[in-house]
Amino acid sequence: MSESEARPRAFSSREDLDFIRAIVAADLERGTHGGRVVTRFPPEPNGYLHIGHASSVCLNFGIAQETGGLCHLRFDDTNPETEDIHFVEAIIDDVKWLGFDWGDHLYFASDYFERMYLFAEHLISEGKAYVESLDDEEIRQYRGTVTEPGRPSPYRDRSIEENLDLFRRMRAGDFPDGAHVLRAKLDLASPNMRMRDPVLYRIRHARHYRTGDTWCIYPLYDFAHPIEDAIESVTHSICTLEFENNRPVYDWIVENLPRGDSPPAIPPDSRPRQYEFARRNLEHTVTSKRKLLQLVEQGYVSGWDDPRMTTIAGLRRRGVTPESIRAYAELVGVGKMENRTDIGKLEFAVRDDLNQRAPRVLCVLRPLRVVLTNYPEGQVEALDAPYFPHDIPIEGSRKLPFSRILYIDRDDFMEDPPASFRRLAPGREVRLRYGYVIRCHEVVRDDAGEIVELRCTYDEETRGGATPDGRKIRGTIHWVDAAQSIACQVRLYDRLFTVSEPNDAEGDFKDYLNPESLVSVEGARIEPSVLRDPAETRYQFERLGFFWRDPMDSREDALVFNRIVTLRDARVGAAAQATADRAPAAPATATSRKRGEPKARAEDRKTSGPDAAAPVEPPRSAALQARRQRYVADLGVGDTEAEIITREQDSADFFEAGLTGEAPPRAVANWVVHELPRDMGDRELQDLPFDAPRFARVVSLVDGGVISGSAGREVLTEMIASGGDPDEIVERLGLRQISDTATLENLVAGVVEQNPAKAAEYRNGRSGLLGFFVGQVMRRTEGRANPEIVKRLLESHLEGDA
Ligand code: ATP
Ligand code: MG
């Protein structure tokens, strides 16, 4: 888009604007910045972009798109030691792949080094900056603490001439690293520590990936960032909250830059303003380039694009679509509150998108041979199988080969099943998807006693799955033909960390890596039709999840599939299973699941996939619709959760049965939507070995602080596997939280004692270290300490000792 086409306009919808968009809208209305909107996404090329960055990308580029403004892609490359051209290329790829375009507005901070240098000289000659010769430690001491003002450095009143001379010699390379820095002369008594003469330049004899050895002094963020924005006439400079205290410095720099009509001066009407929003973080993952880098460099993952990484490159290789990431960013939104999103939200966005576009195919993960003893030897049929269920408006089908020898998944057979088991067992019938009803007569074992084959018969009358005699078949399973299916490897990915907040365990987040985050299944079998599909096709393997070919490792003759996401949260699970279990002859009731996110902007919907015209609201009965509204309005349930729960009668009933008064409805809803599905596999709610009140009991244990959230998940996993009583499981597994103050006091004291240096730093104002201390106590109690109490005790302990 060229500048002349850029016609800023108000957002098309004035409702529902997040607070940043509301600011932009108000500026447009008032004509601030001459009615221009220019944002920028400013990554530092020292790593790959991650899912947190995606929020910032979508916000900055989104605002520009929606208002007809501009968004620049600018590399904030002022730190030569960690930056690399490889990261620049990767970031460019990722932003493009996410679907955004910066036209010719690609910039590099390093291109402004000369101008920045001139501006620094300008500040010096106005008496607003000075060369400091104290070392880092001394600077810190002189700066004071939150409770004491700073003291002026002995070098603060150097003459302008001396400052200019020293600064020029710094540039010329006359001094070693650390000998001097340039500082702004601001306010040593300011309660805002950032205003106490921030450092603007430092000496670093290091080669820069773009400017080579041209420079041995480099500007710091506080100086560089406002200049970059001002040079580019950015209007809204959006960053994350940790820069809130830097804002006065930002404004001061912008105010004090030389103005004029031609460079190096800053354009007179360029007045960028900084706005902060809270970082978007994701549970069960780390969103810090530094930590992601450790995982890569120390070989915990196969690279930045390992499909378990929540980098954009990792998600992309896993098979996640850019549409889902944009929808996810929309779903978590923009706010001022620290935001940690359950990974379920990302998975929800991914499923929701793939559901609309992924053809359904059959794949058997762990094959068990089935011989149909009454099927004619040598006969092969081609069964017609549609790619999509009825509620997805895409046509198309393929033929499935069917013959005497088939494979089914081992999990779909049980020799001695409970009454609720709906799949194959000795003497029982099951329907083969798109095929026939079969009955198992005999189990064949090898010498080691392992089941190697089932001998079954098929019912010739049931082709396509219908039962002309009207008998009820309870289950439908997937299968492939033994002779014509293709062997493949299937990689099942799970979350990379076993705890929801690996970041809290500062320094040791790697202890919490999930050893089962990748399970590679060799010898799976997939239906042959996939060989004809384009390599980038995303599939739903029926009953198993969404998959695609690994773009690096899959070959025509050695297929490798990645699981993008498991099939469903419980609601969708019930819906899909209902569809699978329904005989095709039966009329299709619309269990239609369209785009679920409640607040999708019209703009985004247009680019969200093949069903652009589909209604946003899934059709549902008036009764369910009413329940949904009641859940939100009367019970305080989240929009998204209410939406999902009322997609199906079953789940709405389950939810309501869980409203026993023990746990708040909102919490019950969150657990129904985000926690319960995790271990349910393809089971239905009514197959669970526990009822809704028991489930609600787990939620209330967490809600009441008796156990932690992750302990709650453990209890649920246990209950799904083998039923049982939540209170009993908590005791048996020793999951009860430690809330006893005396015990925790001791632990807290011990941890503080063993980390005197960190305790001192904390008292000097590094309040962020509290997380470290909490993490230490949590580790010592294997996650069982009550974090709220620990936090309180730590705060009073650390401060009391000061
Ligand atoms: P990291 O801590 O992962 O290195 P960063 O902030 O140092 O992140 P930058 O390359 O400086 O990484 O980030 C580019 C932009 O993305 C910045 O504007 C930053 O504020 C934003 N950003 C980074 N992480 C997040 C996040 N988790 N949520 C939202 N925005 C983020
Ligand atoms: Mg940064």
Side-chain angles (χ1 to χ4, degrees):
M1 180 184 338
S2 83
E3 227 130 343
S4 58
E5 293 167 51
R7 281 269 165 281
R9 54 169 188 269
F11 293 91
S12 50
S13 149
R14 292 302 311 272
E15 291 151 43
D16 246 15
L17 295 183
D18 56 63
F19 81 97
I20 301 258
R21 284 180 168 87
I23 289 168
V24 175
D27 282 339
L28 278 172
E29 215 165 271
R30 284 195 296 264
T32 330
H33 307 290
R36 290 177 306 117
V37 173
V38 183
T39 57
R40 83 289 172 267
F41 174 64
E44 184 181 358
N46 61 353
Y48 278 53
L49 298 185
H50 52 63
I51 186 76
H53 290 117
S55 279
S56 178
V57 172
C58 292
L59 177 62
N60 282 294
F61 281 96
I63 288 175
Q65 269 178 2
E66 292 152 31
T67 59
L70 293 170
C71 180
H72 300 176
L73 176 59
R74 180 209 308 146
F75 288 93
D76 198 2
D77 55 355
T78 55
N79 182 7
E81 276 133 336
T82 53
E83 295 163 359
D84 193 278
I85 189 72
H86 167 68
F87 295 130
V88 170
E89 288 160 359
I91 291 171
I92 286 182
D93 260 13
D94 286 347
V95 179
K96 261 195 203 146
W97 177 80
L98 275 172
F100 297 106
D101 179 15
W102 47 91
D104 4 312
H105 297 279
L106 173 64
Y107 302 107
F108 291 85
S110 50
D111 285 343
Y112 309 141
F113 281 166
E114 186 63 36
R115 279 170 92 176
M116 289 181 187
Y117 175 83
L118 292 174
F119 295 156
E121 282 206 352
H122 169 80
L123 288 181
I124 295 171
S125 47
E126 302 233 299
K128 293 173 180 163
Y130 61 98
V131 173
E132 170 67 87
S133 307
L134 295 178
D135 66 22
D136 284 353
E137 186 46 43
E138 292 164 328
I139 291 179
R140 232 191 320 274
Q141 281 166 11
Y142 273 82
R143 187 172 275 152
T145 65
V146 240
T147 50
E148 290 161 47
R151 288 174 290 141
S153 143
Y155 305 103
R156 196 170 195 254
D157 289 320
R158 277 175 163 150
S159 70
I160 290 175
E161 291 67 37
E162 187 185 358
N163 278 321
L164 268 181
D165 174 61
L166 281 170
F167 189 53
R168 285 176 185 153
R169 287 171 56 204
M170 279 168 66
R171 174 182 185 164
D174 288 358
F175 306 112
D177 287 5
H180 308 283
V181 292
L182 184 73
R183 295 177 77 176
K185 202 182 256 189
L186 294 182
D187 179 3
L188 292 173
S190 171
N192 178 352
M193 301 287 284
R194 305 268 174 196
M195 287 294 277
R196 298 188 186 175
D197 291 8
V199 175
L200 308 181
Y201 262 96
R202 60 187 178 147
I203 303 173
R204 273 288 175 285
H205 289 270
R207 202 183 159 75
H208 186 279
Y209 76 100
R210 288 183 86 240
T211 58
D213 295 319
T214 312
W215 294 90
C216 64
I217 55 172
Y218 290 93
L220 286 154
Y221 181 90
D222 272 336
F223 186 59
H225 211 83
I227 293 179
E228 295 156 24
D229 288 340
I231 288 177
E232 293 172 20
S233 292
V234 164
T235 56
H236 299 82
S237 176
I238 302 164
C239 63
T240 37
L241 269 185
E242 70 273 22
F243 295 104
E244 197 170 12
N245 287 340
N246 303 61
R247 189 182 342 123
V249 181
Y250 183 99
D251 290 342
W252 184 86
I253 300 277
V254 169
E255 273 323 296
N256 284 284
L257 291 172
R259 304 269 164 180
D261 288 325
S262 53
I266 298 297
D269 57 350
S270 170
R271 302 277 163 183
R273 306 251 348 236
Q274 175 182 305
Y275 301 95
E276 309 91 20
F277 74 110
R279 274 177 186 264
R280 314 278 95 177
N281 295 320
L282 196 56
E283 285 187 351
H284 289 97
T285 169
V286 290
T287 40
S288 148
K289 282 185 285 193
R290 191 173 54 77
K291 290 183 178 166
L292 293 169
L293 180 70
Q294 285 181 48
L295 295 177
V296 174
E297 286 190 334
Q298 297 170 24
Y300 290 97
V301 294
S302 66
W304 284 98
D305 69 345
D306 185 300
R308 292 165 295 176
M309 295 273 274
T310 38
T311 50
I312 304 301
L315 291 166
R316 168 182 176 178
R317 177 160 172 197
R318 181 142 163 183
V320 169
T321 60
E323 288 84 354
S324 336
I325 296 184
R326 296 202 302 262
Y328 164 76
E330 179 91 23
L331 201 60
V332 292
V334 175
K336 275 272 187 195
M337 290 285 285
E338 177 69 31
N339 171 301
R340 184 170 287 284
T341 309
D342 190 284
I343 204 158
K345 273 214 167 96
L346 176 61
E347 293 174 352
F348 169 71
V350 173
R351 276 186 204 107
D352 202 43
D353 177 49
L354 293 180
N355 181 48
Q356 300 296 324
R357 61 164 87 205
R360 276 60 170 170
V361 296
L362 303 185
C363 176
V364 168
L365 285 186
R366 296 176 181 88
L368 174 59
R369 194 174 137 99
V370 169
V371 179
L372 302 177
T373 51
N374 62 340
Y375 195 89
E377 206 98 42
Q379 177 174 310
V380 182
E381 283 177 80
L383 301 171
D384 200 43
Y387 274 126
F388 290 92
H390 304 284
D391 59 330
I392 301 212
I394 306 178
E395 298 294 315
S397 64
R398 80 288 189 191
K399 297 284 184 193
L400 284 175
F402 184 94
S403 67
R404 185 179 154 88
I405 303 179
L406 312 171
Y407 291 120
I408 65 167
D409 247 312
R410 278 189 181 268
D411 286 351
D412 285 332
F413 175 78
M414 269 183 96
E415 210 168 7
D416 190 16
S420 63
F421 189 72
R422 301 160 72 110
R423 293 161 275 164
L424 196 58
R428 292 207 198 169
E429 285 189 312
V430 77
R431 178 186 298 111
L432 297 178
R433 183 82 162 136
Y434 311 115
Y436 294 91
V437 172
I438 64 169
R439 181 186 294 278
C440 175
H441 297 279
E442 192 189 338
V443 176
V444 182
R445 296 170 185 281
D446 64 11
D447 294 342
E450 193 176 343
I451 300 175
V452 291
E453 183 179 299
L454 302 177
R455 301 189 67 86
C456 305
T457 52
Y458 85 112
D459 177 352
E460 201 183 340
E461 304 296 314
T462 59
R463 185 175 158 130
T467 45
D469 62 2
R471 74 182 187 277
K472 205 163 155 33
I473 308 296
R474 287 171 76 206
T476 300
I477 62 173
H478 59 277
W479 57 277
V480 293
D481 183 69
Q484 293 197 45
S485 59
I486 319 278
C488 59
Q489 187 199 93
V490 178
R491 296 176 181 170
L492 304 176
Y493 295 105
D494 198 354
R495 52 197 53 174
L496 190 50
F497 291 93
T498 51
V499 295
S500 62
E501 316 213 346
N503 291 300
D504 287 352
E506 174 110 0
D508 280 298
F509 71 104
K510 297 193 291 306
D511 295 349
Y512 301 94
L513 282 164
N514 175 6
E516 279 163 24
S517 57
L518 166 59
V519 174
S520 218
V521 180
E522 308 288 339
R525 313 279 309 187
I526 190 162
E527 62 168 90
S529 71
V530 298
L531 289 181
R532 297 190 303 267
D533 298 326
E536 68 281 2
T537 309
R538 271 88 167 173
Y539 299 101
Q540 183 185 114
F541 291 180
E542 290 203 35
R543 302 176 65 229
L544 298 179
F546 290 99
F547 294 79
W548 84 325
R549 288 173 182 72
D550 184 88
M552 310 299 283
D553 297 342
S554 187
R555 295 199 323 259
E556 186 90 351
D557 59 344
L559 294 174
V560 178
F561 289 95
N562 292 339
R563 181 168 72 195
I564 307 169
V565 66
T566 52
L567 205 44
R568 39 186 92 120
D569 53 48
R571 320 312 85 231
V572 182
Q577 190 61 37
T579 314
D581 282 354
R582 198 179 302 123
T589 53
T591 55
S592 170
R593 303 184 292 106
K594 294 285 157 26
R595 302 191 54 73
E597 76 275 40
K599 289 199 287 193
R601 238 174 283 277
E603 199 93 6
D604 282 327
R605 238 170 272 139
K606 265 181 256 147
T607 56
S608 295
D611 69 321
V616 185
E617 299 290 308
R620 73 189 78 201
S621 72
L624 282 173
Q625 188 62 37
R627 278 172 155 200
R628 172 181 170 181
Q629 280 164 8
R630 187 163 57 81
Y631 293 170
V632 176
D634 301 345
L635 302 179
V637 170
D639 274 343
T640 312
E641 286 75 22
E643 202 280 325
I644 296 171
I645 288 173
T646 56
R647 281 173 181 178
E648 292 292 321
Q649 184 77 35
D650 282 2
S651 56
D653 291 347
F654 186 86
F655 166 68
E656 288 191 21
L659 299 180
T660 53
E662 275 194 286
R666 190 184 176 89
V668 176
N670 288 343
W671 277 69
V672 168
V673 173
H674 302 296
E675 306 299 346
L676 185 58
R678 224 163 257 158
D679 295 298
M680 273 182 62
D682 61 1
R683 292 206 230 182
E684 292 189 55
L685 285 169
Q686 64 263 29
D687 289 346
L688 290 174
F690 53 85
D691 58 11
R694 282 231 154 147
F695 168 76
R697 174 70 189 153
V698 180
V699 182
S700 79
L701 288 171
V702 175
D703 193 67
V706 179
I707 57 175
S708 67
S710 59
R713 286 178 205 125
E714 240 181 290
V715 173
L716 204 53
T717 307
E718 173 71 18
M719 283 168 60
I720 289 172
S722 31
D725 170 56
D727 291 274
E728 186 273 320
I729 296 173
V730 167
E731 297 315 322
R732 176 155 50 83
L733 303 182
L735 296 174
R736 191 173 270 280
Q737 281 204 121
I738 305 174
S739 304
D740 172 48
T741 319
T743 311
L744 294 178
E745 224 2 300
N746 269 336
L747 281 162
V748 161
V751 165
V752 172
E753 207 164 289
Q754 279 165 35
N755 294 282
K758 289 223 161 63
E761 277 182 70
Y762 175 87
R763 289 178 192 124
N764 274 328
R766 265 196 73 193
S767 55
L769 278 172
L770 193 63
F772 161 78
F773 285 108
V774 175
Q776 291 295 311
V777 177
M778 295 313 283
R779 283 181 47 141
R780 266 169 224 201
T781 57
E782 290 172 323
R784 284 166 50 228
N786 180 319
E788 289 308 313
I789 301 180
V790 169
K791 219 168 127 191
R792 249 189 11 244
L793 290 174
L794 272 168
E795 274 167 350
S796 71
H797 199 90
L798 283 164
E799 263 137 45
D801 278 11

